[in-house]
Amino acid sequence: MSQSIIKIRDLNFSYNGQHVLRDVDLEVAAGDFMAMIGPNGGGKTTLLKLMLGLLPADRGRILILGKPPKEVSHRIGYVPQDVHINKDFPVSVLDVVLMGKLSPRRGWSRHSKNDRVSAFQALEKVEMADFYERRIGELSGGQLQRVFVARALVTEPDLLFLDEPTASIDTKGQREFYVLLKQLNQTITIIVVSHDLMVVSGYVKSVACVNQRLHYHGHAELTGEMIELMYHCTAEEVCPVEMIAHGVPHRVLHTHEKE
Amino acid sequence: MIEALQFEFMQNALMAGLLASLICGIMGTLVIVNRIVFLSGGIAHAAYGGIGLAFFFGWPYLVGTIGFSPIMALLMAAVTLKAKHRSDTIIGVLWAVGMAIGIILIDLSPGYNVDLMSYLFGSILTVPDSDIWLMLGIAVTINCVVTNFYTDYLALSYDEEFAQIRGVHVKALYFLLIALLAVSVVMIIRMVGLILVIALLTIPPYIVEKYSTSLIKMMIFSSMLSAIFTVCGLWISFTFNITSGAAIILVAGTGFVVSLAMERILPKISRRAPGMLEE
């Protein structure tokens, strides 16, 4: 349980001469369910991409499962933020999920019957099995998001990264979605990026605040400090304007009362 | 048409047209879904530099073009990968410079004036047997590569980042795609010309994209549609004695307009996302 599945030391990344991430240290234990929160442009997605080996770090070291990201990226299930890429692409739901079955060692480019069966099972898990023959462009945003989760699950990952997974799902759907994640968390370590604290907070085990720098909180309580980091001012200052706009403090307090 | 086929040059023209259709159907589909139409245009135009080289040094046509075009193409591809947001500008520069080199080299070549028209519209009616065999070889190669790497190309065309995470050799396959594209374009330019290459690479795949449920179907439908356009165009060209390349393009263009009209009248058949044309 307490074995570190992610180890990041002194990580720095800049883009076009601008610092995106500075001196980031992070250790994530196996079995964790971590929410990564922070303002837009704070570097959350960048950090995910660094951990996936899609971007090279300027300085510092990332070890995932004890190895550099590029070597182990196939053991990470990834649900990207923008699911609307290529909506006109001629591809069916099942074929998208089957992309999760690609692996570096496969020679001849064919999917086996087993691959199809597990792709179908992944679709059943996210309740999209009835849509397997549909073309991707016919789905709604929420349906697409679930197909992308199925594509990540079919990789049988040790780690699951989700980038704003509930962006196009309604509130009821979001709750169901996090119930599904909680269930998956029994076997998989999960990191979810979100600017939406209210739904996340009830299910996550730890929180990392990312705004160039990273602050890790080993428990899922939201503190004034986190809010300060996110919005560059104290909770009192921020509350009347920003917080009402985001709906954050009220629901956060609600969750705390329950606990 | 049947009587026309008694002539050997018509048989060769038909054969060349059908092979070009097959190649353009497969490569065009990948060009459209990877959004590298502009890059293809760049390759096709920069190929003129290769023609110039061949004339200036007295090399055979294919040595000049097949040497020069893939180099320019891979240069463009490297730029697209390195600096995505600036790639269109740099492709534009290479596009223009490639053509200029070609024209100057041909100016400097002693006593020989190549016809620019034959580069633009090709000379499908004078295709020799040897070119048809070469084209067949290219078609077979492309078929093998695309069949072998079909799921990888599907994944990298749809979602490059995810493909990379899965361990697909995205960069190597992308460069292979561009190299194949360059060789195909050069070969087809010789027969049907620069303008027809671009038309066949883009029009049929765009028309069939909305009716295809998979990449492979899109490739097959595009090849079939290209073949229909080519045969009709050749027939019109023969009957009315007009330039064959231009006739084929006009048939394809008419097909394009008809398909847009159908999309409006029968929107249900089209699977393209609504609002696409307004964008």
PDB file of all heavy atoms in Angstrom, chain A residues 49 73-74 78 86 88-90 100 102 104 108-109 111 135 138 151, chain B residues 35 148 151 155 157-159 161 165-166 209 212 214-215 271-273 276:
ATOM      1  N   LYS A  49       1.318  15.188 -18.571  1.00  0.00           N
ATOM      2  CA  LYS A  49       2.022  14.825 -19.807  1.00  0.00           C
ATOM      3  C   LYS A  49       3.487  14.502 -19.547  1.00  0.00           C
ATOM      4  O   LYS A  49       4.068  13.662 -20.221  1.00  0.00           O
ATOM      5  CB  LYS A  49       1.876  15.942 -20.849  1.00  0.00           C
ATOM      6  CG  LYS A  49       0.453  15.993 -21.380  1.00  0.00           C
ATOM      7  CD  LYS A  49       0.293  16.866 -22.589  1.00  0.00           C
ATOM      8  CE  LYS A  49      -1.150  16.744 -23.097  1.00  0.00           C
ATOM      9  NZ  LYS A  49      -1.432  17.654 -24.195  1.00  0.00           N
ATOM     10  N   SER A  73       5.022   3.989 -19.986  1.00  0.00           N
ATOM     11  CA  SER A  73       3.775   4.703 -20.281  1.00  0.00           C
ATOM     12  C   SER A  73       2.647   3.756 -20.679  1.00  0.00           C
ATOM     13  O   SER A  73       1.478   4.052 -20.450  1.00  0.00           O
ATOM     14  CB  SER A  73       4.013   5.735 -21.385  1.00  0.00           C
ATOM     15  OG  SER A  73       4.368   5.089 -22.583  1.00  0.00           O
ATOM     16  N   HIS A  74       2.993   2.571 -21.231  1.00  0.00           N
ATOM     17  CA  HIS A  74       1.931   1.651 -21.638  1.00  0.00           C
ATOM     18  C   HIS A  74       1.223   1.014 -20.444  1.00  0.00           C
ATOM     19  O   HIS A  74       0.220   0.337 -20.614  1.00  0.00           O
ATOM     20  CB  HIS A  74       2.480   0.581 -22.582  1.00  0.00           C
ATOM     21  CG  HIS A  74       3.518  -0.288 -21.957  1.00  0.00           C
ATOM     22  ND1 HIS A  74       4.838   0.095 -21.854  1.00  0.00           N
ATOM     23  CD2 HIS A  74       3.429  -1.495 -21.382  1.00  0.00           C
ATOM     24  CE1 HIS A  74       5.522  -0.859 -21.239  1.00  0.00           C
ATOM     25  NE2 HIS A  74       4.691  -1.827 -20.939  1.00  0.00           N
ATOM     26  N   TYR A  78      -4.809   6.506 -19.772  1.00  0.00           N
ATOM     27  CA  TYR A  78      -4.882   7.969 -19.853  1.00  0.00           C
ATOM     28  C   TYR A  78      -6.199   8.391 -20.497  1.00  0.00           C
ATOM     29  O   TYR A  78      -6.562   7.922 -21.569  1.00  0.00           O
ATOM     30  CB  TYR A  78      -3.693   8.472 -20.670  1.00  0.00           C
ATOM     31  CG  TYR A  78      -3.670   9.961 -20.949  1.00  0.00           C
ATOM     32  CD1 TYR A  78      -3.855  10.896 -19.930  1.00  0.00           C
ATOM     33  CD2 TYR A  78      -3.435  10.433 -22.236  1.00  0.00           C
ATOM     34  CE1 TYR A  78      -3.819  12.253 -20.193  1.00  0.00           C
ATOM     35  CE2 TYR A  78      -3.381  11.789 -22.505  1.00  0.00           C
ATOM     36  CZ  TYR A  78      -3.574  12.700 -21.479  1.00  0.00           C
ATOM     37  OH  TYR A  78      -3.524  14.041 -21.754  1.00  0.00           O
ATOM     38  N   ASN A  86     -10.976  15.426 -33.590  1.00  0.00           N
ATOM     39  CA  ASN A  86     -11.328  14.562 -34.724  1.00  0.00           C
ATOM     40  C   ASN A  86     -12.710  13.938 -34.652  1.00  0.00           C
ATOM     41  O   ASN A  86     -12.874  12.747 -34.826  1.00  0.00           O
ATOM     42  CB  ASN A  86     -10.311  13.422 -34.836  1.00  0.00           C
ATOM     43  CG  ASN A  86      -9.044  13.883 -35.481  1.00  0.00           C
ATOM     44  OD1 ASN A  86      -9.061  14.859 -36.217  1.00  0.00           O
ATOM     45  ND2 ASN A  86      -7.960  13.202 -35.204  1.00  0.00           N
ATOM     46  N   ASP A  88     -14.994  14.040 -36.753  1.00  0.00           N
ATOM     47  CA  ASP A  88     -15.424  13.528 -38.053  1.00  0.00           C
ATOM     48  C   ASP A  88     -14.689  12.260 -38.437  1.00  0.00           C
ATOM     49  O   ASP A  88     -14.883  11.722 -39.510  1.00  0.00           O
ATOM     50  CB  ASP A  88     -15.175  14.584 -39.134  1.00  0.00           C
ATOM     51  CG  ASP A  88     -16.128  15.741 -38.977  1.00  0.00           C
ATOM     52  OD1 ASP A  88     -17.307  15.470 -38.741  1.00  0.00           O
ATOM     53  OD2 ASP A  88     -15.688  16.895 -39.087  1.00  0.00           O
ATOM     54  N   PHE A  89     -13.792  11.812 -37.590  1.00  0.00           N
ATOM     55  CA  PHE A  89     -12.944  10.683 -37.950  1.00  0.00           C
ATOM     56  C   PHE A  89     -13.775   9.428 -38.178  1.00  0.00           C
ATOM     57  O   PHE A  89     -14.648   9.108 -37.384  1.00  0.00           O
ATOM     58  CB  PHE A  89     -11.945  10.430 -36.823  1.00  0.00           C
ATOM     59  CG  PHE A  89     -10.719   9.699 -37.259  1.00  0.00           C
ATOM     60  CD1 PHE A  89      -9.585  10.389 -37.619  1.00  0.00           C
ATOM     61  CD2 PHE A  89     -10.708   8.320 -37.319  1.00  0.00           C
ATOM     62  CE1 PHE A  89      -8.447   9.709 -38.026  1.00  0.00           C
ATOM     63  CE2 PHE A  89      -9.583   7.633 -37.731  1.00  0.00           C
ATOM     64  CZ  PHE A  89      -8.450   8.338 -38.086  1.00  0.00           C
ATOM     65  N   PRO A  90     -13.527   8.715 -39.288  1.00  0.00           N
ATOM     66  CA  PRO A  90     -14.316   7.517 -39.556  1.00  0.00           C
ATOM     67  C   PRO A  90     -13.869   6.340 -38.696  1.00  0.00           C
ATOM     68  O   PRO A  90     -13.094   5.511 -39.139  1.00  0.00           O
ATOM     69  CB  PRO A  90     -14.056   7.252 -41.041  1.00  0.00           C
ATOM     70  CG  PRO A  90     -12.715   7.822 -41.293  1.00  0.00           C
ATOM     71  CD  PRO A  90     -12.551   8.977 -40.351  1.00  0.00           C
ATOM     72  N   GLY A 100      -6.646   0.913 -27.117  1.00  0.00           N
ATOM     73  CA  GLY A 100      -6.036   0.634 -25.820  1.00  0.00           C
ATOM     74  C   GLY A 100      -5.306  -0.703 -25.797  1.00  0.00           C
ATOM     75  O   GLY A 100      -4.539  -0.986 -24.887  1.00  0.00           O
ATOM     76  N   LEU A 102      -3.265  -1.689 -28.183  1.00  0.00           N
ATOM     77  CA  LEU A 102      -1.976  -1.608 -28.868  1.00  0.00           C
ATOM     78  C   LEU A 102      -0.877  -1.742 -27.835  1.00  0.00           C
ATOM     79  O   LEU A 102      -0.997  -1.242 -26.725  1.00  0.00           O
ATOM     80  CB  LEU A 102      -1.837  -0.245 -29.559  1.00  0.00           C
ATOM     81  CG  LEU A 102      -2.702  -0.013 -30.778  1.00  0.00           C
ATOM     82  CD1 LEU A 102      -2.669   1.454 -31.164  1.00  0.00           C
ATOM     83  CD2 LEU A 102      -2.217  -0.855 -31.940  1.00  0.00           C
ATOM     84  N   PRO A 104       3.695  -2.106 -27.379  1.00  0.00           N
ATOM     85  CA  PRO A 104       4.961  -1.969 -28.099  1.00  0.00           C
ATOM     86  C   PRO A 104       5.481  -3.294 -28.665  1.00  0.00           C
ATOM     87  O   PRO A 104       6.213  -3.294 -29.633  1.00  0.00           O
ATOM     88  CB  PRO A 104       5.928  -1.436 -27.039  1.00  0.00           C
ATOM     89  CG  PRO A 104       5.160  -1.223 -25.798  1.00  0.00           C
ATOM     90  CD  PRO A 104       3.782  -1.717 -25.976  1.00  0.00           C
ATOM     91  N   TRP A 108       2.462  -8.071 -35.966  1.00  0.00           N
ATOM     92  CA  TRP A 108       1.469  -7.895 -37.012  1.00  0.00           C
ATOM     93  C   TRP A 108       0.272  -7.114 -36.472  1.00  0.00           C
ATOM     94  O   TRP A 108      -0.194  -7.339 -35.361  1.00  0.00           O
ATOM     95  CB  TRP A 108       1.029  -9.286 -37.490  1.00  0.00           C
ATOM     96  CG  TRP A 108       0.155  -9.261 -38.693  1.00  0.00           C
ATOM     97  CD1 TRP A 108      -1.160  -9.607 -38.743  1.00  0.00           C
ATOM     98  CD2 TRP A 108       0.517  -8.909 -40.024  1.00  0.00           C
ATOM     99  NE1 TRP A 108      -1.626  -9.471 -40.019  1.00  0.00           N
ATOM    100  CE2 TRP A 108      -0.629  -9.044 -40.833  1.00  0.00           C
ATOM    101  CE3 TRP A 108       1.710  -8.475 -40.615  1.00  0.00           C
ATOM    102  CZ2 TRP A 108      -0.630  -8.775 -42.189  1.00  0.00           C
ATOM    103  CZ3 TRP A 108       1.704  -8.199 -41.976  1.00  0.00           C
ATOM    104  CH2 TRP A 108       0.550  -8.354 -42.741  1.00  0.00           C
ATOM    105  N   SER A 109      -0.178  -6.188 -37.246  1.00  0.00           N
ATOM    106  CA  SER A 109      -1.138  -5.203 -36.758  1.00  0.00           C
ATOM    107  C   SER A 109      -2.591  -5.712 -36.781  1.00  0.00           C
ATOM    108  O   SER A 109      -3.397  -5.264 -37.564  1.00  0.00           O
ATOM    109  CB  SER A 109      -0.990  -3.978 -37.646  1.00  0.00           C
ATOM    110  OG  SER A 109      -1.697  -2.917 -37.166  1.00  0.00           O
ATOM    111  N   HIS A 111      -5.996  -7.198 -34.234  1.00  0.00           N
ATOM    112  CA  HIS A 111      -6.517  -7.424 -32.892  1.00  0.00           C
ATOM    113  C   HIS A 111      -7.082  -8.839 -32.797  1.00  0.00           C
ATOM    114  O   HIS A 111      -7.790  -9.287 -33.686  1.00  0.00           O
ATOM    115  CB  HIS A 111      -7.608  -6.419 -32.567  1.00  0.00           C
ATOM    116  CG  HIS A 111      -7.088  -5.026 -32.420  1.00  0.00           C
ATOM    117  ND1 HIS A 111      -6.170  -4.686 -31.459  1.00  0.00           N
ATOM    118  CD2 HIS A 111      -7.343  -3.897 -33.111  1.00  0.00           C
ATOM    119  CE1 HIS A 111      -5.889  -3.404 -31.575  1.00  0.00           C
ATOM    120  NE2 HIS A 111      -6.575  -2.902 -32.569  1.00  0.00           N
ATOM    121  N   ARG A 135     -20.570   5.347 -34.920  1.00  0.00           N
ATOM    122  CA  ARG A 135     -19.423   6.161 -35.292  1.00  0.00           C
ATOM    123  C   ARG A 135     -19.202   7.197 -34.199  1.00  0.00           C
ATOM    124  O   ARG A 135     -20.146   7.703 -33.603  1.00  0.00           O
ATOM    125  CB  ARG A 135     -19.717   6.855 -36.620  1.00  0.00           C
ATOM    126  CG  ARG A 135     -18.478   7.257 -37.349  1.00  0.00           C
ATOM    127  CD  ARG A 135     -18.865   7.808 -38.704  1.00  0.00           C
ATOM    128  NE  ARG A 135     -18.182   9.068 -38.888  1.00  0.00           N
ATOM    129  CZ  ARG A 135     -17.632   9.432 -40.032  1.00  0.00           C
ATOM    130  NH1 ARG A 135     -17.699   8.637 -41.077  1.00  0.00           N
ATOM    131  NH2 ARG A 135     -17.027  10.577 -40.147  1.00  0.00           N
ATOM    132  N   GLU A 138     -21.177  10.488 -33.574  1.00  0.00           N
ATOM    133  CA  GLU A 138     -22.596  10.497 -33.222  1.00  0.00           C
ATOM    134  C   GLU A 138     -22.825  10.585 -31.721  1.00  0.00           C
ATOM    135  O   GLU A 138     -23.957  10.677 -31.269  1.00  0.00           O
ATOM    136  CB  GLU A 138     -23.266   9.219 -33.748  1.00  0.00           C
ATOM    137  CG  GLU A 138     -23.246   9.088 -35.250  1.00  0.00           C
ATOM    138  CD  GLU A 138     -23.730   7.709 -35.704  1.00  0.00           C
ATOM    139  OE1 GLU A 138     -24.711   7.206 -35.137  1.00  0.00           O
ATOM    140  OE2 GLU A 138     -23.090   7.142 -36.606  1.00  0.00           O
ATOM    141  N   ARG A 151     -11.434   2.995 -23.045  1.00  0.00           N
ATOM    142  CA  ARG A 151     -10.182   2.818 -23.767  1.00  0.00           C
ATOM    143  C   ARG A 151      -9.002   2.776 -22.797  1.00  0.00           C
ATOM    144  O   ARG A 151      -8.047   2.018 -22.987  1.00  0.00           O
ATOM    145  CB  ARG A 151      -9.994   3.976 -24.762  1.00  0.00           C
ATOM    146  CG  ARG A 151      -8.733   3.867 -25.574  1.00  0.00           C
ATOM    147  CD  ARG A 151      -8.567   4.996 -26.549  1.00  0.00           C
ATOM    148  NE  ARG A 151      -8.252   6.251 -25.884  1.00  0.00           N
ATOM    149  CZ  ARG A 151      -7.801   7.330 -26.510  1.00  0.00           C
ATOM    150  NH1 ARG A 151      -7.651   7.327 -27.822  1.00  0.00           N
ATOM    151  NH2 ARG A 151      -7.533   8.436 -25.852  1.00  0.00           N
TER     152      ARG A 151
ATOM    153  N   ARG B  35      -4.726  15.558 -41.700  1.00  0.00           N
ATOM    154  CA  ARG B  35      -4.710  16.981 -42.052  1.00  0.00           C
ATOM    155  C   ARG B  35      -3.358  17.446 -42.565  1.00  0.00           C
ATOM    156  O   ARG B  35      -2.760  18.392 -42.049  1.00  0.00           O
ATOM    157  CB  ARG B  35      -5.111  17.801 -40.830  1.00  0.00           C
ATOM    158  CG  ARG B  35      -6.549  17.529 -40.512  1.00  0.00           C
ATOM    159  CD  ARG B  35      -6.933  17.895 -39.142  1.00  0.00           C
ATOM    160  NE  ARG B  35      -8.166  17.158 -38.851  1.00  0.00           N
ATOM    161  CZ  ARG B  35      -9.081  17.570 -38.019  1.00  0.00           C
ATOM    162  NH1 ARG B  35      -8.938  18.692 -37.399  1.00  0.00           N
ATOM    163  NH2 ARG B  35     -10.155  16.847 -37.807  1.00  0.00           N
ATOM    164  N   ASN B 148       0.086  -3.808 -42.914  1.00  0.00           N
ATOM    165  CA  ASN B 148       0.890  -4.236 -41.773  1.00  0.00           C
ATOM    166  C   ASN B 148       0.724  -3.311 -40.570  1.00  0.00           C
ATOM    167  O   ASN B 148       0.660  -3.757 -39.430  1.00  0.00           O
ATOM    168  CB  ASN B 148       2.358  -4.305 -42.195  1.00  0.00           C
ATOM    169  CG  ASN B 148       3.194  -5.066 -41.191  1.00  0.00           C
ATOM    170  OD1 ASN B 148       2.662  -5.710 -40.295  1.00  0.00           O
ATOM    171  ND2 ASN B 148       4.486  -4.981 -41.332  1.00  0.00           N
ATOM    172  N   THR B 151      -3.538  -0.782 -37.694  1.00  0.00           N
ATOM    173  CA  THR B 151      -4.043  -0.321 -36.390  1.00  0.00           C
ATOM    174  C   THR B 151      -3.171   0.785 -35.815  1.00  0.00           C
ATOM    175  O   THR B 151      -3.668   1.675 -35.131  1.00  0.00           O
ATOM    176  CB  THR B 151      -4.151  -1.481 -35.384  1.00  0.00           C
ATOM    177  OG1 THR B 151      -2.916  -2.176 -35.373  1.00  0.00           O
ATOM    178  CG2 THR B 151      -5.266  -2.427 -35.738  1.00  0.00           C
ATOM    179  N   ALA B 155      -4.541   4.498 -34.952  1.00  0.00           N
ATOM    180  CA  ALA B 155      -4.382   5.103 -33.629  1.00  0.00           C
ATOM    181  C   ALA B 155      -3.645   6.432 -33.710  1.00  0.00           C
ATOM    182  O   ALA B 155      -4.046   7.415 -33.094  1.00  0.00           O
ATOM    183  CB  ALA B 155      -3.657   4.143 -32.691  1.00  0.00           C
ATOM    184  N   SER B 157      -3.374   8.452 -36.241  1.00  0.00           N
ATOM    185  CA  SER B 157      -4.145   9.468 -36.949  1.00  0.00           C
ATOM    186  C   SER B 157      -5.256  10.006 -36.064  1.00  0.00           C
ATOM    187  O   SER B 157      -5.585  11.181 -36.121  1.00  0.00           O
ATOM    188  CB  SER B 157      -4.779   8.885 -38.216  1.00  0.00           C
ATOM    189  OG  SER B 157      -3.821   8.255 -39.006  1.00  0.00           O
ATOM    190  N   TYR B 158      -5.836   9.134 -35.260  1.00  0.00           N
ATOM    191  CA  TYR B 158      -6.963   9.563 -34.432  1.00  0.00           C
ATOM    192  C   TYR B 158      -6.492  10.319 -33.197  1.00  0.00           C
ATOM    193  O   TYR B 158      -7.033  11.367 -32.858  1.00  0.00           O
ATOM    194  CB  TYR B 158      -7.808   8.356 -34.018  1.00  0.00           C
ATOM    195  CG  TYR B 158      -8.986   8.762 -33.166  1.00  0.00           C
ATOM    196  CD1 TYR B 158     -10.009   9.532 -33.711  1.00  0.00           C
ATOM    197  CD2 TYR B 158      -9.074   8.403 -31.826  1.00  0.00           C
ATOM    198  CE1 TYR B 158     -11.074   9.940 -32.937  1.00  0.00           C
ATOM    199  CE2 TYR B 158     -10.147   8.803 -31.056  1.00  0.00           C
ATOM    200  CZ  TYR B 158     -11.149   9.571 -31.614  1.00  0.00           C
ATOM    201  OH  TYR B 158     -12.197   9.986 -30.837  1.00  0.00           O
ATOM    202  N   ASP B 159      -5.516   9.785 -32.489  1.00  0.00           N
ATOM    203  CA  ASP B 159      -5.076  10.400 -31.234  1.00  0.00           C
ATOM    204  C   ASP B 159      -3.594  10.076 -31.043  1.00  0.00           C
ATOM    205  O   ASP B 159      -3.232   9.054 -30.467  1.00  0.00           O
ATOM    206  CB  ASP B 159      -5.925   9.836 -30.083  1.00  0.00           C
ATOM    207  CG  ASP B 159      -5.623  10.526 -28.762  1.00  0.00           C
ATOM    208  OD1 ASP B 159      -4.613  11.237 -28.668  1.00  0.00           O
ATOM    209  OD2 ASP B 159      -6.412  10.348 -27.818  1.00  0.00           O
ATOM    210  N   GLU B 161      -1.194  11.332 -29.219  1.00  0.00           N
ATOM    211  CA  GLU B 161      -0.629  11.203 -27.870  1.00  0.00           C
ATOM    212  C   GLU B 161      -0.930   9.844 -27.271  1.00  0.00           C
ATOM    213  O   GLU B 161      -0.072   9.216 -26.656  1.00  0.00           O
ATOM    214  CB  GLU B 161      -1.187  12.304 -26.958  1.00  0.00           C
ATOM    215  CG  GLU B 161      -0.601  13.657 -27.257  1.00  0.00           C
ATOM    216  CD  GLU B 161      -0.955  14.689 -26.204  1.00  0.00           C
ATOM    217  OE1 GLU B 161      -1.932  14.475 -25.457  1.00  0.00           O
ATOM    218  OE2 GLU B 161      -0.253  15.711 -26.137  1.00  0.00           O
ATOM    219  N   ILE B 165       1.672   6.881 -26.037  1.00  0.00           N
ATOM    220  CA  ILE B 165       1.666   6.279 -24.707  1.00  0.00           C
ATOM    221  C   ILE B 165       1.600   4.755 -24.806  1.00  0.00           C
ATOM    222  O   ILE B 165       2.224   4.039 -24.027  1.00  0.00           O
ATOM    223  CB  ILE B 165       0.473   6.809 -23.884  1.00  0.00           C
ATOM    224  CG1 ILE B 165       0.664   8.276 -23.566  1.00  0.00           C
ATOM    225  CG2 ILE B 165       0.305   6.017 -22.594  1.00  0.00           C
ATOM    226  CD1 ILE B 165      -0.575   8.945 -23.047  1.00  0.00           C
ATOM    227  N   ARG B 166       0.870   4.272 -25.794  1.00  0.00           N
ATOM    228  CA  ARG B 166       0.743   2.824 -25.983  1.00  0.00           C
ATOM    229  C   ARG B 166       2.010   2.211 -26.568  1.00  0.00           C
ATOM    230  O   ARG B 166       2.052   1.010 -26.821  1.00  0.00           O
ATOM    231  CB  ARG B 166      -0.432   2.479 -26.909  1.00  0.00           C
ATOM    232  CG  ARG B 166      -1.812   2.776 -26.380  1.00  0.00           C
ATOM    233  CD  ARG B 166      -2.076   2.239 -24.991  1.00  0.00           C
ATOM    234  NE  ARG B 166      -1.823   0.819 -24.860  1.00  0.00           N
ATOM    235  CZ  ARG B 166      -1.457   0.231 -23.729  1.00  0.00           C
ATOM    236  NH1 ARG B 166      -1.299   0.919 -22.643  1.00  0.00           N
ATOM    237  NH2 ARG B 166      -1.255  -1.062 -23.684  1.00  0.00           N
ATOM    238  N   GLU B 209     -15.603  10.342 -46.787  1.00  0.00           N
ATOM    239  CA  GLU B 209     -15.340  10.334 -45.343  1.00  0.00           C
ATOM    240  C   GLU B 209     -16.634  10.245 -44.544  1.00  0.00           C
ATOM    241  O   GLU B 209     -16.756   9.496 -43.585  1.00  0.00           O
ATOM    242  CB  GLU B 209     -14.567  11.600 -44.929  1.00  0.00           C
ATOM    243  CG  GLU B 209     -14.162  11.596 -43.463  1.00  0.00           C
ATOM    244  CD  GLU B 209     -13.555  12.913 -43.006  1.00  0.00           C
ATOM    245  OE1 GLU B 209     -14.021  13.975 -43.464  1.00  0.00           O
ATOM    246  OE2 GLU B 209     -12.624  12.878 -42.194  1.00  0.00           O
ATOM    247  N   SER B 212     -18.211   6.707 -44.421  1.00  0.00           N
ATOM    248  CA  SER B 212     -17.377   5.566 -44.032  1.00  0.00           C
ATOM    249  C   SER B 212     -17.431   5.373 -42.528  1.00  0.00           C
ATOM    250  O   SER B 212     -17.392   6.335 -41.775  1.00  0.00           O
ATOM    251  CB  SER B 212     -15.925   5.802 -44.438  1.00  0.00           C
ATOM    252  OG  SER B 212     -15.850   6.285 -45.751  1.00  0.00           O
ATOM    253  N   SER B 214     -15.189   3.209 -41.102  1.00  0.00           N
ATOM    254  CA  SER B 214     -13.836   2.877 -40.668  1.00  0.00           C
ATOM    255  C   SER B 214     -12.836   3.415 -41.681  1.00  0.00           C
ATOM    256  O   SER B 214     -13.198   3.762 -42.811  1.00  0.00           O
ATOM    257  CB  SER B 214     -13.671   1.368 -40.519  1.00  0.00           C
ATOM    258  OG  SER B 214     -13.732   0.766 -41.793  1.00  0.00           O
ATOM    259  N   LEU B 215     -11.584   3.487 -41.252  1.00  0.00           N
ATOM    260  CA  LEU B 215     -10.528   4.024 -42.101  1.00  0.00           C
ATOM    261  C   LEU B 215     -10.342   3.164 -43.349  1.00  0.00           C
ATOM    262  O   LEU B 215     -10.168   3.668 -44.452  1.00  0.00           O
ATOM    263  CB  LEU B 215      -9.233   4.081 -41.289  1.00  0.00           C
ATOM    264  CG  LEU B 215      -8.176   5.077 -41.702  1.00  0.00           C
ATOM    265  CD1 LEU B 215      -8.728   6.484 -41.707  1.00  0.00           C
ATOM    266  CD2 LEU B 215      -6.977   4.985 -40.779  1.00  0.00           C
ATOM    267  N   ARG B 271     -22.777  11.224 -42.116  1.00  0.00           N
ATOM    268  CA  ARG B 271     -22.436  11.016 -40.715  1.00  0.00           C
ATOM    269  C   ARG B 271     -21.491  12.087 -40.211  1.00  0.00           C
ATOM    270  O   ARG B 271     -20.991  12.023 -39.112  1.00  0.00           O
ATOM    271  CB  ARG B 271     -21.775   9.642 -40.533  1.00  0.00           C
ATOM    272  CG  ARG B 271     -22.743   8.501 -40.667  1.00  0.00           C
ATOM    273  CD  ARG B 271     -21.986   7.217 -40.927  1.00  0.00           C
ATOM    274  NE  ARG B 271     -22.908   6.133 -41.219  1.00  0.00           N
ATOM    275  CZ  ARG B 271     -23.241   5.213 -40.332  1.00  0.00           C
ATOM    276  NH1 ARG B 271     -22.784   5.249 -39.120  1.00  0.00           N
ATOM    277  NH2 ARG B 271     -24.057   4.237 -40.667  1.00  0.00           N
ATOM    278  N   ARG B 272     -21.208  13.047 -41.054  1.00  0.00           N
ATOM    279  CA  ARG B 272     -20.331  14.118 -40.615  1.00  0.00           C
ATOM    280  C   ARG B 272     -21.051  14.922 -39.548  1.00  0.00           C
ATOM    281  O   ARG B 272     -22.250  15.109 -39.610  1.00  0.00           O
ATOM    282  CB  ARG B 272     -19.990  15.023 -41.791  1.00  0.00           C
ATOM    283  CG  ARG B 272     -18.592  15.616 -41.696  1.00  0.00           C
ATOM    284  CD  ARG B 272     -18.388  16.684 -42.735  1.00  0.00           C
ATOM    285  NE  ARG B 272     -18.356  16.174 -44.099  1.00  0.00           N
ATOM    286  CZ  ARG B 272     -17.295  15.628 -44.660  1.00  0.00           C
ATOM    287  NH1 ARG B 272     -16.210  15.475 -43.990  1.00  0.00           N
ATOM    288  NH2 ARG B 272     -17.331  15.226 -45.910  1.00  0.00           N
ATOM    289  N   ALA B 273     -20.307  15.395 -38.565  1.00  0.00           N
ATOM    290  CA  ALA B 273     -20.931  16.149 -37.484  1.00  0.00           C
ATOM    291  C   ALA B 273     -21.634  17.383 -38.052  1.00  0.00           C
ATOM    292  O   ALA B 273     -21.136  18.015 -38.969  1.00  0.00           O
ATOM    293  CB  ALA B 273     -19.871  16.569 -36.479  1.00  0.00           C
ATOM    294  N   MET B 276     -20.475  21.293 -39.676  1.00  0.00           N
ATOM    295  CA  MET B 276     -19.132  21.151 -40.237  1.00  0.00           C
ATOM    296  C   MET B 276     -18.854  22.170 -41.345  1.00  0.00           C
ATOM    297  O   MET B 276     -17.809  22.793 -41.389  1.00  0.00           O
ATOM    298  CB  MET B 276     -19.028  19.725 -40.784  1.00  0.00           C
ATOM    299  CG  MET B 276     -17.868  19.471 -41.672  1.00  0.00           C
ATOM    300  SD  MET B 276     -16.412  19.187 -40.706  1.00  0.00           S
ATOM    301  CE  MET B 276     -15.196  19.313 -41.998  1.00  0.00           C
TER     302      MET B 276
END
